[in-house]
Amino acid sequence: MYRYDNTDQQIINERVAQYRDQIGRHLAGELSVDELRPLRLQNGLYIQRHGPMLRIAIPYGMLSAAQLRKLAEISRRYDRAVGHFTTRQNMQLNWPQFEETPDILAELASVQMHAVQTSGNCVRNITTDHFAGVAPDEWTDPRPYCELLRQWSTFHPEFAFLPRKFKIAVNAAAEDRAVIRAHDIGLDLVGNEQGEIGFRVFVGGGLGRTPILGKLIREFLPRRHLLSYLDAILRLYNRYGRRDNMYKARIKILVQALGIDEFGRQVEAEWSQLRDGPTTVPDVEFARLGGHFAPPPRATLPAEDAAHAARLRNDPAFANWVKRCVHPHKTPGYAAVTLSLKALGVAPGDISDVQMIAVAELAERFSFGELRVSHEQNVVLADVRQSDLHEVWLIARRHRLATANIGLLTDMICCPGGDLCALANARSVPIAAAIHEKFDDLDYLHDIGDISLNISGCMNSCGHHHVANIGILGVDKNDEEWYQISIGGQQGNAATIGKVIGPSFYAQEIPQVIEALIGVYLEHRTPSERFIDTLQRIGIEPFKVRAYAGRDRRRTAKVDNREEEVINA
């Protein structure tokens, strides 16, 4: 993984000192709340429903064991001994004390971490495939390019105050696991007939209030031109993006307004002033960055470990875990392991300080001291020997990190929702808990098979509900929490935005509605079909009919000790 040089460390140390001074001046009454707001946001500090929330950057989802240990220590000392992994592969602390946040940033800097640009209208954390560097379907490692983009975007003086936040994702595998078309810019690493490395460039994607998939703006961009071309896109956005309406400020609205052809023409015109200039990246720089991501010293092993194969035959529980949580690796004898943060009774993406220490120890013992955070809010050990998988499973199980549900219904993406977030219209975590309790049968979950269910507490779509097979969106109706259901969304190469099935439901109905949707799938599927395949074959109508069948469109609520009917609109 990338390691700071002296310049990197000096920059982060200086930022900590600057932030400490800003907070000190605010506490002394020298900086108003409004004056402090943009300063604290670009250091990851929000003011949420119950108090401050600090979002910590995890560039392209990579952590060392030492860094995770530090996060555990920080969560224990300054928070409530728990952290929350987000869909942007970052970590949030939801209960820090405002005046202690400079100390947290100083602690982070001691292990080459920070919270810079995890908020604000700037380029946010660059994300990529959590199996980067080990996936068999990957043709090159995307992480050096992510690091290049991180260095380019951090403190970029021209793009510190964009019309709205800006998100970039990179993919280099046959299957897109980074959801690149749901980003402001999506980059797909490809090669051309001359053997050059470059990018297919997508622009104008994003979820939120107006979900749109990015459009292809350039079929092949030579890698040396990556930064100058992105400069051109961002300059155009910075110049013409809406600043009068935050709901129409994302680049996707500008692309829609101009049309992709006209937007592309204007980008090319802007790029003509920048191409082959100082931001052209030489091969020697790509080589330097690539050196930080050289493969670890993996052993030469047989493709199949005999003892591992025997355990699979003799231990059904272990075999189920391997089926769902262990993934192919490009190096014979190795595997990647997903540690599930979706155990029953735990908010999806939450990890305790004790679990962090356990994962750090697993990484040190079994995966060269490194780990990844996935945008599905789980943790990945990327380099585990097949012969070690059983021991990893036993240790993970002791710490409730071995739920065999990866890719299944209870492997839900879920934002913190109304329990914590000031923007949320409704709670998300209790809905996730109710669904998990309803479907707390691994045999049944394995029978249902691959399916995605994502939950967002508001239209910002931090839970990525738009690109889930089943999406749940919290909405506010007359100060009550209701939930809108969409189906048919998916990630990957065939990314699709789901469609709303009809009027929203109240919270108590949601588990039964999900059960009804699953029931339609089980009745109509063929032996080889996933939920999304059956839905695409038979259409939305049978699911919609079942979801509302027999539903009493009135529910009883107690108000001032008298009964009255509340119409479900």
Side-chain angles (χ1 to χ4, degrees), residues 167-217:
K167 300 176 181 180
I168 301 173
V170 186
N171 174 61
E175 181 66 22
D176 174 20
R177 287 177 288 270
V179 207
I180 61 173
R181 292 186 62 203
H183 286 74
D184 298 285
I185 290 177
L187 298 170
D188 193 22
L189 272 154
V190 293
N192 65 10
E193 294 178 353
Q194 290 72 44
E196 291 182 293
I197 297 174
F199 298 88
R200 296 171 72 219
V201 183
F202 295 87
V203 67
L207 303 179
R209 188 174 297 269
T210 309
I212 298 173
L213 295 178
K215 297 176 176 62
L216 185 65
I217 191 174

Side-chain angles (χ1 to χ4, degrees), residues 226-443:
L226 176 60
L227 299 187
S228 61
Y229 193 77
L230 295 193
D231 273 335
I233 292 175
L234 276 154
R235 280 188 176 186
L236 196 66
Y237 170 53
N238 208 15
R239 189 180 308 147
Y240 297 119
R242 297 277 299 269
R243 296 179 187 270
D244 62 321
N245 185 336
M246 68 175 293
Y247 301 116
K248 297 183 181 296
R250 299 292 292 271
I251 194 173
K252 61 188 176 184
I253 303 300
L254 179 61
V255 173
Q256 289 291 102
L258 293 175
I260 188 62
D261 292 337
E262 174 60 18
F263 184 82
R265 187 193 67 76
Q266 293 194 30
V267 169
E268 291 291 324
E270 183 72 30
W271 188 41
S272 69
Q273 309 299 314
L274 304 171
R275 184 173 179 169
D276 298 320
T279 53
T280 304
V281 185
D283 287 343
V284 66
E285 177 62 9
F286 288 113
R288 183 188 74 83
L289 291 171
H292 285 280
F293 302 96
R298 302 181 188 121
T300 301
L301 301 171
E304 298 295 332
D305 180 78
H308 171 65
R311 292 188 185 100
L312 289 177
R313 291 191 298 269
N314 299 324
D315 191 334
F318 174 62
N320 280 337
W321 177 76
V322 170
K323 179 181 178 181
R324 301 310 316 186
C325 300
V326 176
H327 315 277
H329 197 289
K330 64 171 56 176
T331 302
Y334 283 84
V337 172
T338 298
L339 301 174
S340 174
L341 300 184
K342 313 294 175 61
L344 179 64
V346 177
D350 277 10
I351 182 169
S352 72
D353 61 326
V354 174
Q355 288 175 317
M356 288 186 234
I357 295 298
V359 174
E361 291 176 352
L362 285 169
E364 288 170 336
R365 288 184 59 188
F366 302 109
S367 193
F368 300 102
E370 293 179 358
L371 55 122
R372 313 330 178 44
V373 180
S374 73
H375 88 268
E376 287 94 353
Q377 301 174 289
N378 293 308
V379 178
V380 174
L381 302 175
D383 288 286
V384 179
R385 296 187 188 205
Q386 281 186 12
S387 57
D388 290 331
L389 288 172
H390 191 261
E391 189 171 1
V392 168
W393 172 63
L394 291 174
I395 296 170
R397 192 167 60 168
R398 289 202 296 270
H399 293 279
R400 301 195 71 205
L401 295 167
T403 306
N405 63 348
I406 300 304
L408 301 178
L409 185 68
T410 57
D411 184 20
M412 291 173 275
I413 293 176
C414 180
C415 72
D419 289 317
L420 296 171
C421 181
L423 300 177
N425 296 315
R427 291 173 294 173
S428 302
V429 174
I431 300 301
I435 294 170
H436 200 149
E437 187 172 353
K438 181 75 173 179
F439 291 91
D440 186 30
D441 182 336
L442 279 174
D443 290 336

Side-chain angles (χ1 to χ4, degrees), residues 60-97:
Y60 38 94
M62 284 209 70
L63 279 171
S64 69
Q67 289 171 333
L68 188 58
R69 286 179 183 278
K70 176 58 71 174
L71 292 175
E73 179 185 332
I74 288 171
S75 74
R76 188 184 308 121
R77 181 175 178 183
Y78 298 101
D79 203 271
R80 295 186 179 180
V82 66
H84 174 76
F85 286 125
T86 76
T87 53
R88 290 216 63 72
Q89 300 176 306
N90 290 319
M91 175 176 277
Q92 292 180 179
L93 299 178
N94 287 305
W95 302 98
Q97 295 298 309

